[in-house]
Amino acid sequence: MGAGVGLLGTVLHLNFAWIGGTSTAEGAWILPWGAVLALLLTGSAQLWWTLRSSVPWAGGVLAISAFTTAMVLGNWPGLDTLAVAANEYTLTVVPGPAIAGTVWIWGIPVVAVVAMLVAQPLLRVPASED
């Protein structure tokens, strides 16, 4: 399930919108809505899996799998890559995909920790067998 979340999130994360223009030279802002939606998918899948299995670390395994899948797809050899590196060149030439990729990749561990903290008090306590 984590690999599927990583694959779907990697495909989804490159959607973004310009706010206030069409380039950063004009003072426009980039809204990486695809990366935010992909992180919401990751967090909700992790929370669902943790609560379904009643095992605190199950969601963490899902997040690790999603992160690994996203990294593999982003660093796939050849010209067909599904991610853009965030460096000085890409932030100047293609800032939208560079920012969206950074939000997606580094947001997964943040969302994983938040989802584990949210799931902790919601886990079912087994009934006593008295």
Side-chain angles (χ1 to χ4, degrees), residues 3 12 24 33 43 58-59 62-64 69 102 105-106 121-122 125:
L12 183 64
T24 53
W33 65 267
L62 184 138
I64 290 168
T69 302
T102 302
I105 289 296
W106 299 113
L122 300 174
V125 178

Side-chain angles (χ1 to χ4, degrees), residues 25-125:
E26 299 173 1
W29 290 78
I30 297 168
L31 177 65
W33 65 267
V36 172
L37 194 58
L39 291 172
L40 184 63
L41 167 73
T42 304
S44 61
Q46 181 183 353
L47 185 62
W48 176 80
W49 190 254
T50 301
L51 296 177
R52 178 169 165 73
S53 66
S54 296
V55 179
W57 50 266
V61 171
L62 184 138
I64 290 168
S65 177
F67 183 79
T68 303
T69 302
M71 291 298 285
V72 166
L73 290 173
N75 295 309
W76 199 261
L79 298 176
D80 260 350
T81 58
L82 295 173
V84 175
N87 55 39
E88 188 177 335
Y89 177 74
T90 58
L91 287 171
T92 303
V93 177
V94 285
I99 291 171
T102 302
V103 169
W104 166 234
I105 289 296
W106 299 113
I108 296 172
V110 173
V111 167
V113 170
V114 169
M116 285 192 280
L117 291 173
V118 168
Q120 200 63 25
L122 300 174
L123 287 173
R124 288 182 241 138
V125 178

